[in-house]
Amino acid sequence: MKTIILSVVVFAFLLFQATAQQPDYQQQKATAEAEYGQKSYARAHDIYASVDKSKLNAADVRWVEFRLADTSWRAQAATQTSDTTKYEEAQKQLDELIRVADKDVDRDLVWAEAHESLGDMSWTRQNQRNWGGAWPHYQQALDWWAGQRDLERARLRYLAIVFKAAAPSLTDDAYLYGYYGNHIPVVVLENALKISTTANERSLLNYLLATTAQSNGGPRDAEASMRIAEYFEEALKAGKQSDWYDDALYRYAEWLNNYGTAREVGDGYWQLQPDYVKALAMYRRLTTEFSAGETRFYEGATRQIINITTPNVAVTVSNVFLPDSEIQFGLSSRNVRRVDLALYKVDLTRDIPNAGADSETDAGQGEIGSTSWTTNWRANGRVPFKTWTREVKDEDYRPFSEQARIDGRLPVGAYVLEAKITGGVSRELILVSDATLVLKSSGKQALAFFSNAVTGAPIANANVTLWESYYEMGGTQRWRRMRQTTNSDGVAQFSFSGVIGSRNLFATAAGNDRQAFSGGRSYRVPLSQEWRIYAFTDRPAYRPKETLQWKFIARQYSSGEYSTPANQVITYQINDPRGTKMTEGKVTLNAFGSAWGSFDLGEQLPLGQYYIYFWNQNKSSQIGSASLFRLEEYKLPEYEVSVTLPEDPARPGSKRLFRLGDRVEAVVQADYYFGGP
C-alpha cells in the first residue's frame, strides 16, 4: 500500500513539472498578438508556430491555423523577394478555413478574419492593388461584423475595413481615393456613417460618399447634384484636423469647376453648370489655409486660380476651305469683353518663321507643323487684309465660345487669323485653296507632289519649301530650310543631311496663290546592319498541356535597304513570366529568312506572358526580342439567378404558388462572377 502511495505522489510531481514546462497558450497568444499589433509578423508567426495545438480546443486550433497563414504572407510581403510560394500556400490555407465554416450557422470569427486577410493579400501588399480580388472578401467580413452583438468592437472593425479599402496605403502621396477603381458601395459608406462617432470619421465618410457618387455616373438629376455638394460640405466641417481635408477641398473645387450645380433652365428641365465663383473660393481657401509644402494640391489649386481669373482668347480653324466657301472659325475667350480680329495674307513658302532661326541651317526653338508656326509669326507692320471687332460676354468667370463666320468670300490664298485682347493674342492659319501637297520621305530624301486637289493634275513651276528639324550630338536642335521648284510632273525632290536619327519634316508649296502644306517624319539608321525580327504564334493564348507553335521572320537593314539573312544561325531563348528560362536553342534561317519551332507546355508552368529573345550565333550580341504568348487557365463564368415571385392576394404576406406551365411575370436578377465566385 505504501508503495502505491509513493507512485501516485511521484506521478503527480512529474505531471506538475510537465505542466509547468508547457507554455500557457493565452500568454503565448497575448505575446503574439502584441507583436502582430507592432507589425512584427515574422515574430508573431514564430510564436504561434511553437504552440502545441494538441492541447487546444477546436476554436483555438482554428485561430492558430488562421494566424499562421495570415502572418506567413504578411511576413513575406515585408521582404523584397519575388517568390510567390508563401502567398499561394497562405491563400490555400485561408480558403480552407473559410470552406469548412461556410454555412451561415458555422461562420465564426476565423471565417471573417480569413476573408479580411485574403482581401488584404490582394489589396494592401506593395505593388499589389487588385480591387476586384479584394472587395468580395472585404464585403463578406463587413457583413459578418454588421451582425455581431459586441457593438463597439463590431463598429471599430467595420470602420477599419472601410477605411482600409478607401486607402490601402497612407504612404503614397500621389494616391487619390478611387484611383484603382476602389469605389466602395454607397450602402456600405452610409452604414459606416451611421456608426461613426468622431468628426474625423464623419469627414472622411462624407468625402468618400461624395467621390463615390461622382464615380457612379455623377448627378443624373438635380437631387443627385445637391447630394454630392452636401456630402462635400459635410466633409469640410472638420477642417484641418481631418487628414482628408485638403483632398475634400480640392476635389470639391474640381467638381464645382468641371460640373458645378444643377440649375433650372425652364419647363422643369435642369442642367448641370460649372460654378466658377464657388470653385474659385474653394481653391483660394486651400491655398490660404495650406502652405506650398503642406499639401500636394497647392500647385494644382494655384494653377486653377490662374486659369479661372486670367483673361485669354483663342481661335481655331478645323479645315482647309475650297474657293468660294463660307469661312468658319472657332472663337473662345474668358474674362474679356472685346476681341479685336484681323486677317493677314501670307505666302507659306516665304513667310513662315524658321523657328527663330534666320539662316538656312541654324539652331532654333519651337515647332513647325500644320499651324503651330503661327505662334512665332509677327505682322511686323503688314497691312491687314481685313479687321473687325467682336463684343463678348464676361460674367462670373464663365468661358465664352462660338462658331464665328467671316463676312463675304475670301480670295484663294493663305491667311493668318489674329485675335487680340489686352495682354494676349491667338493666331491660326486659314487656307483657301484647291491644291494639295503630298510628302513622301525615306532616310535620305523626300519627294513633294503638288497637284490640284479636285482633278489630281500636277502643278508645275511652283515654289516648294521643306523644313528639316533634327538634333545634333549634345541635344542642340537644328532647322534646315530647303527650296525647290516643281517639275512638269508637279514633283520637287530634296536630299537630307547626313545626321543619324529621326527628324521632323514640314513642306509648303505655292503657285499663283494656290497654296498647300504637309507634315511628315523621317528616320535614318546607322550604316551598320540592324536586325528586324517579327515573332508570332498560331494564337495569342494557350492553356497548360497544349503545344506551342511559334515562328519568326528576320530581316537586316543596311544603308537604307532591307536584305534577307538566309542560312544564318540564330540563338533564341524563351522565358516564363518570372524571367526564368523555359527553353533555348539554335535555328538556321531558310531562304526566306524564317524559322520556327514547337514546345509542349507543361501543367506546372506559371500563368502569364512569355517572352522570346534572339542573339547571333555565338550569343555575343542580342538582335531582338518580343512578347510571344500568354499562358492562361480557362474558367467558365459563374452566375447566380434569383427569382422573386409576387404575393398571393388571397393570403397577404404569402407567395403565390404556381404549377409547371403557368405563365407569370417575375423579377429575375442575375449576378455574374467572371473568373470564379
Side-chain angles (χ1 to χ4, degrees):
M1 186 68 177
K2 187 175 182 181
T3 303
I4 294 174
I5 293 174
L6 286 174
S7 299
V8 171
V9 172
V10 171
F11 176 76
F13 174 77
L14 294 175
L15 180 62
F16 172 79
Q17 288 291 97
T19 304
Q21 293 174 5
Q22 172 67 30
D24 178 71
Y25 166 67
Q26 293 302 327
Q27 182 179 358
Q28 288 179 294
K29 180 180 179 181
T31 304
E33 290 301 311
E35 296 287 357
Y36 190 93
Q38 297 296 322
K39 297 186 179 181
S40 299
Y41 302 119
R43 293 181 182 178
H45 184 275
D46 291 341
I47 295 172
Y48 275 113
S50 68
V51 171
D52 184 1
K53 291 187 288 185
S54 66
K55 306 294 184 181
L56 305 180
N57 58 41
D60 288 338
V61 169
R62 271 178 60 78
W63 179 261
V64 171
E65 290 176 345
F66 158 69
R67 269 296 188 241
L68 287 172
D70 179 65
T71 54
S72 174
W73 77 257
R74 292 185 192 275
Q76 180 74 356
T79 68
Q80 299 298 321
T81 179
S82 60
D83 185 11
T84 61
T85 303
K86 288 189 177 181
Y87 297 122
E88 295 165 358
E89 292 176 351
Q91 183 173 356
K92 290 179 181 178
Q93 293 163 359
L94 294 170
D95 284 336
E96 180 62 18
L97 290 170
I98 291 171
R99 186 192 65 79
V100 298
D102 208 25
K103 293 182 180 179
D104 291 344
V105 295
D106 296 330
R107 294 177 179 178
D108 57 2
L109 175 63
V110 169
W111 182 90
E113 295 280 7
H115 269 299
E116 184 176 349
S117 180
L118 286 170
D120 289 350
M121 191 186 300
S122 294
W123 185 234
T124 64
R125 282 160 50 194
Q126 188 176 9
N127 300 324
Q128 180 75 17
R129 297 289 182 260
N130 181 5
W131 176 247
W135 177 245
H137 293 293
Y138 284 152
Q139 193 167 35
Q140 294 281 20
L142 287 168
D143 291 344
W144 190 87
W145 283 111
Q148 298 310 297
R149 294 185 178 181
D150 187 347
L151 298 183
E152 182 58 19
R153 185 185 182 193
R155 185 187 74 84
L156 293 174
R157 292 302 301 274
Y158 194 97
L159 291 176
I161 295 174
V162 169
F163 294 152
K164 177 167 50 181
S169 171
L170 296 179
T171 60
D172 185 358
D173 292 337
Y175 171 75
L176 282 174
Y177 169 64
Y179 178 81
Y180 299 102
N182 55 312
H183 289 106
I184 302 170
V186 171
V187 64
V188 173
L189 295 173
E190 289 176 340
N191 289 339
L193 186 59
K194 292 176 183 177
I195 63 175
S196 61
T197 58
T198 68
N200 282 344
E201 290 173 351
R202 289 190 292 270
S203 174
L204 172 54
L205 289 167
N206 276 289
Y207 166 71
L208 297 178
L209 280 164
T211 49
T212 298
Q214 287 180 264
S215 71
N216 291 340
R220 295 172 293 278
D221 50 39
E223 182 181 353
S225 173
M226 289 186 289
R227 189 160 55 247
I228 290 174
E230 289 172 359
Y231 286 144
F232 274 123
E233 293 288 353
E234 288 294 321
L236 296 178
K237 287 183 178 180
K240 291 186 71 174
Q241 66 174 323
S242 169
D243 292 335
W244 296 75
Y245 178 59
D246 56 336
D247 290 72
L249 263 178
Y250 188 75
R251 295 188 76 167
Y252 187 25
E254 291 286 277
W255 162 259
L256 293 167
N257 191 32
N258 295 317
Y259 302 99
T261 56
R263 301 183 182 181
E264 190 171 7
V265 294
D267 297 330
Y269 289 98
W270 293 74
Q271 186 179 45
L272 206 61
Q273 296 181 357
D275 190 339
Y276 299 110
V277 174
K278 194 167 184 178
L280 181 62
M282 292 297 109
Y283 288 127
R284 285 174 170 166
R285 181 172 166 182
L286 189 147
T287 56
T288 300
E289 297 187 32
F290 292 89
S291 60
E294 201 175 358
T295 174
R296 55 182 167 155
F297 302 111
Y298 187 90
E299 289 76 13
T302 302
R303 286 194 299 270
Q304 291 290 34
I305 291 171
I306 295 172
N307 291 339
I308 293 174
T309 60
T310 301
N312 62 70
V313 66
V315 287
T316 57
V317 178
S318 58
N319 57 281
V320 174
F321 300 92
L322 288 171
D324 296 324
S325 297
E326 183 181 67
I327 309 301
Q328 294 183 337
F329 65 94
L331 173 65
S332 60
S333 65
R334 193 174 196 176
N335 302 316
V336 298
R337 295 183 179 275
R338 167 178 167 156
V339 180
D340 295 319
L341 298 116
L343 275 176
Y344 295 90
K345 202 165 186 179
V346 295
D347 185 332
L348 295 180
T349 62
R350 295 196 312 255
D351 296 336
I352 294 179
N354 191 24
D358 296 325
S359 60
E360 292 297 308
T361 302
D362 201 352
Q365 296 179 350
E367 292 293 336
I368 289 182
S370 59
T371 58
S372 57
W373 56 268
T374 56
T375 302
N376 297 322
W377 186 87
R378 297 293 182 272
N380 292 332
R382 291 172 181 259
V383 177
F385 178 82
K386 181 181 180 67
T387 61
W388 69 104
T389 299
R390 176 73 170 94
E391 302 293 334
V392 298
K393 292 183 179 180
D394 174 28
E395 55 182 13
D396 296 336
Y397 306 103
R398 294 188 177 279
F400 169 83
S401 64
E402 69 172 2
Q403 281 295 315
R405 292 178 173 83
I406 296 177
D407 294 337
R409 298 290 189 264
L410 291 181
V412 172
Y415 304 83
V416 170
L417 172 63
E418 184 177 74
K420 274 189 175 183
I421 60 172
T422 301
V425 63
S426 176
R427 303 183 188 91
E428 184 64 287
L429 172 69
I430 292 180
L431 182 60
V432 182
S433 178
D434 61 356
T436 185
L437 183 65
V438 178
L439 183 65
K440 183 178 181 181
S441 62
S442 67
K444 293 183 177 181
Q445 63 177 348
L447 296 177
F449 174 56
F450 190 41
S451 66
N452 187 298
V454 179
T455 66
I459 301 176
N461 300 317
N463 296 322
V464 181
T465 301
L466 177 71
W467 284 266
E468 173 194 10
S469 166
Y470 55 89
Y471 286 88
E472 293 183 335
M473 294 295 293
T476 302
Q477 185 183 24
R478 295 287 182 180
W479 290 94
R480 181 169 178 246
R481 181 172 55 196
M482 297 168 280
R483 306 179 191 275
Q484 293 287 348
T485 302
T486 58
N487 59 20
S488 59
D489 295 324
V491 175
Q493 182 174 341
F494 301 88
S495 297
F496 294 148
S497 61
V499 176
I500 302 300
S502 63
R503 66 199 73 225
N504 292 319
L505 306 175
F506 183 65
T508 61
N512 297 327
D513 288 333
R514 301 162 77 185
Q515 302 187 52
F517 61 83
S518 181
R521 287 181 62 84
S522 174
Y523 187 79
R524 188 165 188 170
V525 299
L527 296 177
S528 59
Q529 289 187 333
E530 290 197 356
W531 288 82
R532 301 288 189 271
I533 297 180
Y534 175 59
F536 55 95
T537 57
D538 60 338
R539 57 182 185 271
Y542 295 84
R543 301 178 192 174
K545 298 192 295 185
E546 292 185 336
T547 300
L548 163 71
Q549 303 284 349
W550 62 277
K551 181 179 181 179
F552 73 94
I553 302 171
R555 294 292 184 268
Q556 284 183 293
Y557 188 84
S558 178
S559 301
E561 296 180 353
Y562 285 99
S563 62
T564 302
N567 302 318
Q568 293 201 36
V569 177
I570 302 296
T571 301
Y572 69 88
Q573 178 177 309
I574 300 176
N575 289 357
D576 66 18
R578 300 174 182 174
T580 304
K581 179 175 64 178
M582 187 182 76
T583 185
E584 65 179 350
K586 293 184 178 182
V587 293
T588 301
L589 300 178
N590 62 14
F592 300 101
S594 299
W596 53 86
S598 62
F599 185 84
D600 292 331
L601 302 172
E603 188 174 4
Q604 302 302 321
L605 290 175
L607 304 179
Q609 185 72 47
Y610 283 70
Y611 301 87
I612 188 168
Y613 301 90
F614 299 96
W615 292 268
N616 56 8
Q617 182 174 2
N618 58 12
K619 214 172 181 178
S620 62
S621 176
Q622 184 174 335
I623 60 176
S625 63
S627 297
L628 195 58
F629 70 96
R630 289 190 61 83
L631 187 64
E632 299 179 353
E633 185 176 0
Y634 177 74
K635 291 183 178 180
L636 287 172
E638 300 183 17
Y639 62 92
E640 178 182 304
V641 178
S642 61
V643 179
T644 303
L645 296 174
E647 290 190 0
D648 190 340
R651 297 184 302 162
S654 301
K655 301 295 183 181
R656 289 184 60 187
L657 300 178
F658 299 90
R659 292 176 300 179
L660 188 64
D662 288 348
R663 298 179 61 86
V664 62
E665 292 184 2
V667 178
V668 179
Q669 178 178 346
D671 293 322
Y672 292 84
Y673 305 91
F674 293 98

